[in-house]
Amino acid sequence: MKSALFTGAAVTLGLLMASVGSAQASSIHQPTTQARQHGITLAGGGYMGWTNTKTSSTAATPAVLAPAATVEGIDVASYQGNVDWAGQWNAGKRFAYTKATEGNYYTNPYFAQQYNGSYNVGMIRGAYHFATPNDSSGANQATYFLAHGGGWSKDGKTLPGALDIEYNPYGATCYGLSAASMVSWIRDFANTYKATTGRDVPIYTNLDWWSRCTGNSSAFNSTNPLWVAKYASSPGTLPGGWPFHTIWQYSSTPIDQDRFNGDYSRLQALANG
């Protein structure tokens, strides 16, 4: 995900620790600098969990497997290039999300290999969109996403497209939007996606960003599945009053690691709608 430019002394260390951990608290104040440290130098470079990866040896500690029924998966973007899908399958991964688009200006050049490759090896797969709410409307970006790999089909192997909404690696943390405007933007995206596919888009976010930028809105917690980012031994406090998470991104080592909150039959049910 992205790092953000926080201004003023009002941002407390405790709030920073709630989302990214104390090991990163000193670097999170410089989003543009941190984005470059993560290899994000051009528009289109945002990816899930980017604030937690690659700059610190303590950034990601793999979590212990939970005793409840879960399914392991990964998420990928252009940074992973051509993925060894057979290797990921043999490592126990059964689902994958691939970055398809960002804003209304970028498509992942490795999308076909990643999206189709995961499907061909037997995984349940989905696409995600990296939101840049300052660039265009939610409806515009949802339409762009749908036109470039973000669609859904009821084939039992395709998950609904996901909205990655988080820290802005290119500027102001909340993209210059008020909390009310951000909620409206997300609703615009979600409604446009559902009008075309019939599916409620899963929302990927984290407690800190969601609290800052939506006022910890509860507007989506009864409709849109939560994909929570928390690099720790448990998902912790969930944002927005969601009663449970659907997917948990818990590590970036050696690739972004995700865990579906349920058994394989429930993952299939999410794919089938």
Side-chain angles (χ1 to χ4, degrees):
M1 298 300 172
K2 306 183 173 189
S3 150
L5 181 58
F6 303 141
T7 58
V11 179
T12 66
L13 180 60
L15 186 53
L16 288 167
M17 290 174 66
S19 86
V20 294
S22 59
Q24 294 173 286
S26 62
S27 63
I28 197 72
H29 291 274
Q30 302 297 330
T32 304
T33 299
Q34 191 185 11
R36 284 196 290 267
Q37 291 174 331
H38 287 268
I40 302 173
T41 58
L42 298 172
Y47 58 92
M48 287 185 166
W50 72 268
T51 55
N52 297 310
T53 59
K54 312 300 188 284
T55 59
S56 170
S57 61
T58 61
T61 301
V64 176
L65 279 171
T70 57
V71 183
E72 293 294 315
I74 60 172
D75 61 82
V76 296
S78 62
Y79 294 93
Q80 281 72 45
N82 291 322
V83 176
D84 175 8
W85 290 110
Q88 292 297 327
W89 177 269
N90 291 337
K93 309 308 177 184
R94 294 297 179 262
F95 74 96
Y97 264 98
T98 295
K99 180 181 177 180
T101 52
E102 177 174 319
N104 62 358
Y105 50 78
Y106 171 86
T107 59
N108 174 6
Y110 292 93
F111 180 75
Q113 192 276 343
Q114 294 174 346
Y115 188 71
N116 297 329
S118 56
Y119 180 94
N120 291 337
V121 81
M123 293 185 189
I124 297 177
R125 52 79 188 274
Y128 79 83
H129 174 77
F130 194 100
T132 56
N134 58 314
D135 289 320
S136 62
S137 70
N140 175 268
Q141 292 193 26
T143 300
Y144 186 80
F145 178 46
L146 285 161
H148 296 89
W152 173 79
S153 59
K154 192 171 183 177
D155 58 5
K157 298 298 290 291
T158 302
L159 295 162
L163 173 64
D164 175 2
I165 186 119
E166 52 163 322
Y167 303 109
N168 177 10
Y170 314 115
T173 304
C174 301
Y175 300 85
L177 274 63
S178 67
S181 294
M182 185 65 76
V183 171
S184 293
W185 192 98
I186 296 168
R187 184 177 291 112
D188 195 27
F189 186 101
N191 287 346
T192 302
Y193 191 87
K194 186 169 185 177
T196 300
T197 65
R199 299 302 308 275
D200 289 305
V201 63
I203 295 174
Y204 171 103
T205 195
N206 64 76
L207 176 63
D208 177 66
W209 186 90
W210 193 261
S211 297
R212 294 173 187 276
C213 299
T214 75
N216 207 27
S217 172
S218 60
F220 307 97
N221 65 23
S222 64
T223 51
N224 299 83
L226 173 64
W227 185 349
V228 65
K230 178 72 172 181
Y231 288 21
S233 59
S234 73
T237 301
L238 300 179
W242 264 280
F244 58 87
H245 68 281
T246 297
I247 302 174
W248 168 31
Q249 185 192 63
Y250 63 87
S251 175
S252 65
T253 304
I255 196 169
D256 285 355
Q257 304 288 317
D258 300 291
R259 187 169 293 152
F260 178 77
N261 187 17
D263 64 20
Y264 190 76
S265 69
R266 300 314 304 160
L267 180 63
Q268 289 176 310
L270 179 61
N272 282 317

